[in-house]
Amino acid sequence: MLTYRFANENDCGLILEFIRALAAYEKMSDQVVATESLLREWIFEKQKAEVIFACEDGKEVGFALFFHNFSTFLGRAGIYLEDLFVLPEYRGKGYGKGLLRKLAQITEERGCGRLEWWCLDWNKPSIDLYKSLGAEPMDEWTTYRLTGEKLKEMAK
Amino acid sequence: MLTYRFANENDCGLILEFIRALAAYEKMSDQVVATESLLREWIFEKQKAEVIFACEDGKEVGFALFFHNFSTFLGRAGIYLEDLFVLPEYRGKGYGKGLLRKLAQITEERGCGRLEWWCLDWNKPSIDLYKSLGAEPMDEWTTYRLTGEKLKEMAK
């Protein structure tokens, strides 16, 4: 049976396992500097993100991490899905789509106007799924990121 | 003299004026459904975004609206700049770059790892500025948006 539950502060180890599994899948493990203690601080103390698990017979087999973004034109928050990952051995059962549906429900319940996420341009299977759900690619826009030394320099 | 101040709940009318000015500049005025009361609810009661004004001799001439996003790999929040706008008659004095610098300082002060924003692909003057600051375009990624009836359908 598939159920969902919100993560709590006792789940930081489990959240980190999912983050590492996702990074390994994307061959980006070297970029993970998150620790249990950082996750506790930023997710549960400072409340900057929320996590939902998809559970098969009580065992966590997928996770989604999201936060609130904001639309000035709508004058309200939206929901931004930062990461969604289902353990490879539990794929093909609709759990990923189930997590997306759960997020859509939360977006509606909270009166938020939009559910958004981003996707690598070469990930065609996911793009096909998203388009089939009616999601619209924001093709005209590119995100810019300032980080590390360049950020420090700009802050001077 | 250029100063900065955080908006408070008495500024909802002014924030809405800036949002409308930005929308008019982008020829998207028909998309603005924000109201003062929505801004009060979502920015100041539910605290889903923050606003900074750039002020010339005490008069607000530019604004930046931002919120916290989250990086799972870094295990911490970042700052996402949703909108930045300087009134056309006050352009060319470095106020836009000043607001960006202020945001970079807030990002550093709060221990956030990244400052991010997005930009329309045809807006070459802004892109040139961002690249000159060392910001990196996330070219491989596209944002997907689920909204309106499609969102309601997905939530069923």
Short mmCIF file of all heavy atoms in Angstrom, two decimals, chain A residues 6 18 41 49 58 62-63 86 96 103-104 106 120 130 134 137-138 144-145 152:
data_model
loop_
_atom_site.label_atom_id
_atom_site.label_comp_id
_atom_site.label_asym_id
_atom_site.label_seq_id
_atom_site.Cartn_x
_atom_site.Cartn_y
_atom_site.Cartn_z
N PHE A 6 4.72 13.52 5.89
CA PHE A 6 5.70 14.61 5.99
C PHE A 6 6.86 14.15 6.86
O PHE A 6 6.66 13.47 7.88
CB PHE A 6 5.05 15.85 6.63
CG PHE A 6 4.33 16.72 5.64
CD1 PHE A 6 2.98 16.51 5.38
CD2 PHE A 6 4.99 17.73 4.96
CE1 PHE A 6 2.30 17.31 4.46
CE2 PHE A 6 4.33 18.53 4.03
CZ PHE A 6 2.98 18.31 3.78
N PHE A 18 18.48 9.90 0.84
CA PHE A 18 17.79 10.14 -0.44
C PHE A 18 18.55 11.17 -1.28
O PHE A 18 18.69 11.02 -2.48
CB PHE A 18 16.34 10.60 -0.21
CG PHE A 18 15.38 9.46 -0.07
CD1 PHE A 18 14.92 9.06 1.17
CD2 PHE A 18 14.95 8.76 -1.20
CE1 PHE A 18 14.02 7.99 1.28
CE2 PHE A 18 14.06 7.70 -1.10
CZ PHE A 18 13.59 7.31 0.16
N GLU A 41 19.06 22.07 10.74
CA GLU A 41 19.04 23.53 10.92
C GLU A 41 18.13 24.21 9.90
O GLU A 41 17.26 25.02 10.25
CB GLU A 41 20.47 24.07 10.80
CG GLU A 41 20.53 25.59 10.84
CD GLU A 41 21.96 26.13 10.56
OE1 GLU A 41 22.92 25.32 10.55
OE2 GLU A 41 22.08 27.35 10.35
N ALA A 49 12.31 24.62 3.98
CA ALA A 49 11.84 23.63 3.00
C ALA A 49 11.01 22.59 3.73
O ALA A 49 11.01 22.54 4.96
CB ALA A 49 13.02 22.98 2.29
N GLY A 58 4.78 1.15 4.48
CA GLY A 58 5.47 1.77 5.62
C GLY A 58 6.94 2.09 5.39
O GLY A 58 7.54 2.84 6.15
N GLY A 62 10.50 6.84 -1.72
CA GLY A 62 10.67 8.03 -2.56
C GLY A 62 10.55 9.27 -1.70
O GLY A 62 10.00 9.21 -0.59
N PHE A 63 11.09 10.38 -2.20
CA PHE A 63 10.97 11.62 -1.44
C PHE A 63 10.81 12.81 -2.37
O PHE A 63 11.20 12.77 -3.54
CB PHE A 63 12.15 11.80 -0.46
CG PHE A 63 13.29 12.65 -0.97
CD1 PHE A 63 13.75 13.74 -0.25
CD2 PHE A 63 13.92 12.34 -2.18
CE1 PHE A 63 14.81 14.52 -0.70
CE2 PHE A 63 14.98 13.12 -2.63
CZ PHE A 63 15.42 14.20 -1.90
N VAL A 86 12.68 8.59 -6.63
CA VAL A 86 12.16 7.29 -6.20
C VAL A 86 13.31 6.29 -6.33
O VAL A 86 14.03 6.30 -7.35
CB VAL A 86 10.96 6.86 -7.08
CG1 VAL A 86 10.50 5.45 -6.72
CG2 VAL A 86 9.81 7.86 -6.91
N GLY A 96 6.45 8.13 -8.46
CA GLY A 96 6.90 9.48 -8.79
C GLY A 96 5.71 10.37 -9.14
O GLY A 96 5.58 11.50 -8.65
N LEU A 103 1.87 16.75 -4.37
CA LEU A 103 2.32 18.16 -4.37
C LEU A 103 1.26 19.07 -4.98
O LEU A 103 1.03 20.19 -4.50
CB LEU A 103 3.62 18.29 -5.18
CG LEU A 103 4.95 18.22 -4.44
CD1 LEU A 103 5.15 19.46 -3.59
CD2 LEU A 103 5.08 16.98 -3.58
N ALA A 104 0.61 18.59 -6.04
CA ALA A 104 -0.46 19.38 -6.66
C ALA A 104 -1.59 19.60 -5.66
O ALA A 104 -2.17 20.69 -5.58
CB ALA A 104 -0.98 18.67 -7.92
N ILE A 106 -1.32 19.69 -2.34
CA ILE A 106 -0.84 20.66 -1.34
C ILE A 106 -0.91 22.07 -1.92
O ILE A 106 -1.32 23.02 -1.24
CB ILE A 106 0.59 20.30 -0.89
CG1 ILE A 106 0.59 18.97 -0.13
CG2 ILE A 106 1.19 21.41 -0.01
CD1 ILE A 106 1.97 18.41 0.14
N LEU A 120 16.39 18.81 -16.29
CA LEU A 120 17.51 18.86 -17.25
C LEU A 120 16.97 18.66 -18.66
O LEU A 120 16.13 17.79 -18.91
CB LEU A 120 18.53 17.78 -16.91
CG LEU A 120 19.52 18.15 -15.80
CD1 LEU A 120 20.19 16.92 -15.23
CD2 LEU A 120 20.56 19.15 -16.29
N TYR A 130 6.01 15.31 -17.95
CA TYR A 130 5.55 16.62 -17.49
C TYR A 130 4.60 17.26 -18.50
O TYR A 130 3.58 17.83 -18.14
CB TYR A 130 6.75 17.54 -17.23
CG TYR A 130 7.70 17.02 -16.18
CD1 TYR A 130 9.05 17.38 -16.18
CD2 TYR A 130 7.27 16.14 -15.18
CE1 TYR A 130 9.93 16.90 -15.22
CE2 TYR A 130 8.16 15.66 -14.22
CZ TYR A 130 9.48 16.03 -14.25
OH TYR A 130 10.35 15.56 -13.30
N GLY A 134 0.32 18.41 -18.62
CA GLY A 134 -0.13 19.77 -18.90
C GLY A 134 0.83 20.83 -18.38
O GLY A 134 0.49 22.02 -18.39
N PRO A 137 6.60 24.32 -20.37
CA PRO A 137 8.02 24.67 -20.23
C PRO A 137 8.24 26.17 -20.39
O PRO A 137 7.70 26.79 -21.31
CB PRO A 137 8.69 23.91 -21.39
CG PRO A 137 7.62 23.70 -22.39
CD PRO A 137 6.30 23.69 -21.66
N MET A 138 8.98 26.77 -19.47
CA MET A 138 9.24 28.20 -19.51
C MET A 138 10.51 28.41 -20.33
O MET A 138 11.57 28.80 -19.82
CB MET A 138 9.39 28.75 -18.08
CG MET A 138 8.25 28.36 -17.15
SD MET A 138 6.63 28.90 -17.74
CE MET A 138 6.77 30.66 -17.42
N TYR A 144 20.06 32.33 -13.55
CA TYR A 144 21.44 32.74 -13.31
C TYR A 144 21.78 32.50 -11.84
O TYR A 144 20.94 32.71 -10.97
CB TYR A 144 21.66 34.21 -13.69
CG TYR A 144 21.63 34.36 -15.20
CD1 TYR A 144 20.43 34.36 -15.90
CD2 TYR A 144 22.82 34.42 -15.92
CE1 TYR A 144 20.41 34.43 -17.28
CE2 TYR A 144 22.81 34.50 -17.31
CZ TYR A 144 21.59 34.50 -17.98
OH TYR A 144 21.58 34.55 -19.36
N ARG A 145 23.01 32.04 -11.62
CA ARG A 145 23.43 31.68 -10.26
C ARG A 145 24.73 32.38 -9.91
O ARG A 145 25.70 32.28 -10.65
CB ARG A 145 23.62 30.16 -10.18
CG ARG A 145 24.18 29.69 -8.84
CD ARG A 145 24.33 28.18 -8.81
NE ARG A 145 23.04 27.51 -8.83
CZ ARG A 145 22.89 26.20 -8.97
NH1 ARG A 145 23.94 25.42 -9.12
NH2 ARG A 145 21.68 25.67 -8.97
N LYS A 152 30.80 36.50 -2.94
CA LYS A 152 31.53 37.27 -1.89
C LYS A 152 31.97 38.62 -2.44
O LYS A 152 31.87 39.65 -1.76
CB LYS A 152 32.75 36.49 -1.41
CG LYS A 152 32.43 35.37 -0.44
CD LYS A 152 33.71 34.84 0.21
CE LYS A 152 33.42 33.75 1.25
NZ LYS A 152 32.47 32.72 0.81
#
